[in-house]
Amino acid sequence: MTATATQPLTAVQAIETRRSIRKFVQEPIDQNDLREVLRLASLAPSAWNAQTWRFAVVQDPAVKEQLREAAYGQAQVTNAPAVIVVYSDMEDTLQTVEETAHPGMGEQGRTGQRATFDGAFGSLDVAQRGQWGLTQANIAFSFLMIAARSLGYDTVPMLGFQPDKVKEILGLPEHVQFAGLLPIGKRAEEGFPHHRHSIDRVTKFY
C-alpha cells in the first residue's frame, strides 16, 4: 500500500505498513514532502507544550559520510537521501520558554509558563532536566516515523551511534540529548513484516 500525491495513508495504514528499511531508492527526497513530515512530527503532544525536540536534517553527502562513521559504518546512513537527527535541547527550551505559551493566554500565560518551568526545573542540574526533555523528543521521534510513512516514505530508527561525534559533526551543544538518527527515503526493499508479542503477552488489565 502506498500513498498518493492527493491521498496520504491513514494513521492505521501508516502504522501497519511501516517497516525498518535500510535500502532506499537513489533519488533526492521532495523538499516539500520533507517539510510536511517535519511539520506533522512537530504536532506531537508535549507536556506543558515544551516542544523540546529539535531536528537536524542532513542531505549533504559529505556530512552523511561523517555520520555513517559515527554510526559504526551502518550503510543506511549514506544510502538514504536524507537523515533526520532528532535531539532534545532543554536548555534552549528553558531560555525561550515564553514562546511555548499559547497566544490566547496573553501576557499572563507567558508569565505563568516561565514560573512553571522555573519552579519545575530550576533546582535540577543540566543532565536531569535534559532527561525530561528527551522524553518529549522521543514522542516526536515516533510521530516522525508515522508521518513519513503516511506520505509514502520509509525510515529506520537508529540508536547505534556515538553521540559525542554526532554533536561535533553537527556543531551541537554538549548538553543536547539524542532521540535517534532517522534515515528517510523511498524503500528499495520490502523489509521484514512485523513480528510482535501478542497483546496478552505485554498487557495487564486492571
Side-chain angles (χ1 to χ4, degrees):
M1 181 173 294
T2 59
T4 68
T6 58
Q7 187 63 45
L9 300 182
T10 67
V12 170
Q13 291 168 337
I15 291 169
E16 290 186 337
T17 62
R18 191 210 64 79
R19 301 288 187 270
S20 289
I21 298 298
R22 294 172 175 82
K23 293 182 180 179
F24 299 89
V25 174
Q26 297 302 294
E27 63 183 24
I29 189 169
D30 182 281
Q31 297 301 293
N32 290 328
D33 286 349
L34 181 58
R35 286 184 171 273
E36 179 64 2
V37 167
L38 294 168
R39 186 190 72 81
L40 291 171
S42 73
L43 298 178
S46 179
W48 290 321
N49 202 36
Q51 304 169 73
T52 63
W53 50 72
R54 303 291 184 268
F55 307 119
V57 181
V58 180
Q59 300 179 86
D60 183 283
V63 181
K64 285 196 295 179
E65 188 63 49
Q66 294 180 66
L67 283 182
R68 177 173 175 170
E69 293 177 10
Y72 307 105
Q74 295 182 77
Q76 61 264 32
V77 176
T78 49
N79 189 261
V83 179
I84 304 174
V85 181
V86 183
Y87 63 97
S88 172
D89 192 338
M90 189 63 178
E91 297 308 297
D92 179 54
T93 297
L94 291 174
Q95 291 171 13
T96 59
V97 71
E98 288 85 359
E99 296 176 3
T100 65
H102 195 283
M105 299 176 69
E107 189 58 35
Q108 182 177 2
R110 291 169 59 86
T111 302
Q113 191 80 327
R114 169 58 64 188
T116 295
F117 277 76
D118 285 350
F121 302 107
S123 63
L124 301 182
D125 61 33
V126 171
Q128 288 174 320
R129 57 196 185 217
Q131 186 61 41
W132 185 90
L134 180 59
T135 65
Q136 310 301 302
N138 285 335
I139 300 172
F141 193 64
S142 294
F143 267 56
L144 195 60
M145 288 183 278
I146 302 305
R149 185 67 197 127
S150 75
L151 296 183
Y153 293 90
D154 292 284
T155 59
V156 55
M158 296 179 60
L159 299 177
F161 57 91
Q162 300 172 74
D164 287 345
K165 288 190 175 181
V166 174
K167 291 176 188 177
E168 180 180 355
I169 292 166
L170 301 179
L172 300 177
E174 176 62 30
H175 61 260
V176 306
Q177 298 197 30
F178 293 102
L181 310 185
L182 195 69
I184 178 173
K186 296 289 182 71
R187 67 176 66 178
E189 62 178 5
E190 284 306 306
F192 288 107
H194 294 137
H195 174 65
R196 295 292 189 269
H197 289 304
S198 70
I199 295 302
D200 289 337
R201 171 70 174 79
V202 298
T203 307
K204 292 183 178 181
F205 294 94
Y206 296 87

